[in-house]
Structure formats: structure tokens, C-alpha cells
Amino acid sequence: ERIIARDLTPTFGETPLPSISADDINDCVAKAGKRASSASLKAYAALRSIYAYAHANHRRLFPASASPFGDVTRPQGGGKRSDFLAIADLRLTILSCYDIGWPFGAMYRLLILTGLRLREVAEGRWSEIDLEGANWTIPGERMKNGEPHWIALSPPAIAIIKAMPRIDKCDLMFSTNGKTPVSGFSRAKTRLDAAMLKIAKNECKDAGGEPDDVKLPAFVVHDTRRTLARGCQIDGVAPEIIERMLGHVTHTKSGLKGVYQVFEFEGERRAAFKKWGQRIGALTKGGADVVQLRGVAA
């Protein structure tokens, strides 16, 4: 959906598929490639999937012979995506979070620090947070596996949450209207990408390089979970601990035992989250833990 909204819709809008030429598609793909080589391949694949769907469901109106893809050059991708952020890219992401401000800047930073999924953070509740105990306990109905999940909040995560604005009588952590969680994730990711590219180009220019040669690696929000897992592996955290940190473990026991298992290996998980928080803090040492407010509802 993000690829379509970012790369295809601005170019083609409501243009009927039979009216789109091979040159139009090549131009669209090339434009996406200016951002990153992998972006051109994704745009190509998304548009080709749309054409394939049209052929499969509307053969009489749109036969395969009507496809212009025979004259479209398949772009070269940037290779297999790493599925995690390298240290330099992780630093760039965090710095960009300060630039895009509230609410998504704080949200992305919490995603990095907690290893939670996008919706699990975006739809977070103040009632789930225990700042004094440094705990975030998410009920099963908000988790992918349907089971409650516990996160040990590191000092940087606590600092972010403490600095976040809170709308009176609203339990939602990320809301601008006090009624619903924030939305517009595709636009927010586009802003984050733009901020990252701007910072990277400025740093390249300051170092005497060629800013126009700077390209960002492929990056999806879910990569923050894999990045935390990899960082913990480097720190020597046992795989079974990392699995529990990510909420991958399914508990089969019921009753008190089942509830207790949510907090299995509490000491080890808390230590791992703390170490990860220290790693993240060191990347942007000297940056203030503040939340920039932009149009927050009173």
C-alpha cells in the first residue's frame, strides 16, 4: 500500500490501465530508482501485480496481449535486503526521529527500544504502563499471538514516555484527537525517509563528499524488531530470551502458571533491554530526550 501511494498513484492517478504505455512505466520505475535501487524494483513488482490481477479477473476487457510489460525493462534490485538496520543506519533513523517530531518520532524510537510491532506501540495505552516499576504489560487482545506480553522499559524508553504529552481523560498514548490512535503510517514513513536522506546528505557534504551520490538502504518499520534481536545476539543474549522479548513464545499452561509465564526470565530480559537501551543511547549521545510537539490536541 505504501509503495502504491508513494510511487504509483502520483504518476498514474486514475489513468485506465490500457492507456498506460511502456514508456510511462519505465519513467515511473526510473523515478522511484532515484531514491534507492530497491525502490525501483518494488515499484515495478507492484505495478506488474496490478496488471496480473487485471488480466486474471477481467480477461475479456483486458487480455494479456494488452499489457505493455513486454517493452518494460525489469530494474536491477539492490540485492537481498538485510532485514535489520546497520549501526550507521540505525543512528540516522534515531536522529531523524527528532526531526519529524511528535507523534511519530517518539513512536519510532519506542519501536527501536522495545522490539514491539507498529500497531502494538501505536495503539498503546497509558494504563498498560508502570513507570515506577519500568514495565509495559500489553493485554492479549492487542498482541499478534493473542497472549499478554511484558516489556521491561529501559531508561531511554522511560525518558521518552515521560516526555510525551497526555490528553486529559484519554488512555491512548499516541493520539492527536483524544478519541482514536494516530494513523497515516505511510506518510509518516515517507517523512522519516526524507529526514534520513536529508541528514545523510548534509553529513556527506560536511565530510567533503558528493551528496547526490547518497542513497538510503531499503528499510521497513518491522526491521526494528530484527535489529533489536540482532543487537541482543551480539551482546550474547540467549535465543530463548530474545524470543520472549519479541513475544514469539506461546504459553500453553493456564491459570496462575500461565500468567506467571508472561514474566519468565524477568531478570535476563530486563538486563537485555537495559543493555540495548545503552547501545541506542550511545549512538546519539548528547541528544536530549525530548518530544517535539506539532499540533497536539489539548
Side-chain angles (χ1 to χ4, degrees):
E1 182 180 0
R2 181 164 60 87
I3 294 168
I4 292 172
R6 182 176 60 188
D7 296 323
L8 305 186
T9 301
T11 299
F12 301 118
E14 297 182 0
T15 305
L17 292 186
S19 300
I20 298 176
S21 68
D23 287 339
D24 295 332
I25 296 175
N26 283 323
D27 289 345
C28 175
V29 170
K31 183 178 179 180
K34 292 180 180 180
R35 187 174 64 256
S37 58
S38 59
S40 61
L41 185 58
K42 290 179 180 179
Y44 172 89
L47 191 55
R48 184 148 197 165
S49 294
I50 292 172
Y51 272 86
Y53 179 88
H55 298 325
N57 293 273
H58 304 282
R59 292 182 183 275
R60 292 183 179 179
L61 296 175
F62 195 49
S65 58
S67 174
F69 269 89
D71 296 319
V72 175
T73 303
R74 184 181 187 278
Q76 296 295 321
K80 183 182 183 299
R81 190 165 55 82
S82 297
D83 294 337
F84 62 84
L85 290 164
I87 292 298
D89 301 323
L90 187 57
R91 169 186 166 274
L92 200 61
T93 304
I94 297 169
L95 289 175
S96 300
C97 286
Y98 290 102
D99 275 6
I100 66 174
W102 172 263
F104 293 102
M107 183 186 302
Y108 286 134
R109 291 167 66 205
L110 282 178
L111 285 167
I112 292 170
L113 289 165
T114 63
L116 289 168
R117 299 176 181 86
L118 177 60
R119 296 281 180 177
E120 292 164 1
V121 172
E123 298 174 5
R125 307 295 199 267
W126 288 106
S127 55
E128 300 168 353
I129 302 293
D130 172 16
L131 288 177
E132 185 176 349
N135 302 312
W136 187 346
T137 307
I138 305 175
E141 57 266 26
R142 288 215 311 107
M143 293 298 298
K144 184 177 180 179
N145 64 2
E147 298 186 356
H149 180 55
W150 168 74
I151 290 288
L153 294 172
S154 62
I158 291 175
I160 294 169
I161 294 173
K162 283 185 174 180
M164 286 167 47
R166 183 169 183 175
I167 300 176
D168 188 34
K169 298 181 180 180
C170 176
D171 195 32
L172 294 168
M173 294 173 63
F174 293 96
S175 177
T176 56
N177 59 16
K179 299 177 181 178
T180 59
V182 292
S183 58
F185 301 118
S186 295
R187 293 190 299 274
K189 181 58 168 57
T190 299
R191 289 176 54 210
L192 181 70
D193 290 341
M196 291 174 65
L197 185 60
K198 180 180 178 180
I199 293 175
K201 287 188 173 184
N202 287 340
E203 290 183 345
C204 179
K205 182 178 180 180
D206 292 342
E210 293 292 334
D212 290 340
D213 293 337
V214 173
K215 292 185 181 299
L216 295 178
F219 162 43
V220 297
V221 174
H222 199 76
D223 289 343
T224 56
R225 285 170 59 79
R226 305 182 184 100
T227 303
L228 179 146
R230 181 173 181 269
C232 289
Q233 288 173 346
I234 293 173
D235 285 335
V237 180
E240 60 266 27
I241 304 301
I242 297 175
E243 289 294 288
R244 283 165 173 78
M245 293 170 70
L246 295 175
H248 283 167
V249 176
T250 299
H251 307 298
T252 58
K253 294 183 175 63
S254 59
L256 184 60
K257 180 64 175 177
V259 174
Y260 174 75
Q261 283 185 328
V262 175
F263 299 93
E264 276 186 326
F265 301 101
E266 179 178 352
E268 292 87 343
R269 288 157 70 181
R270 191 175 293 279
F273 275 118
K274 181 178 180 180
K275 180 68 174 179
W276 177 242
Q278 291 172 341
R279 271 182 172 271
I280 297 303
L283 291 178
T284 55
K285 193 172 183 179
D289 285 308
V290 298
V291 175
Q292 298 178 4
L293 307 184
R294 294 187 180 182
V296 179

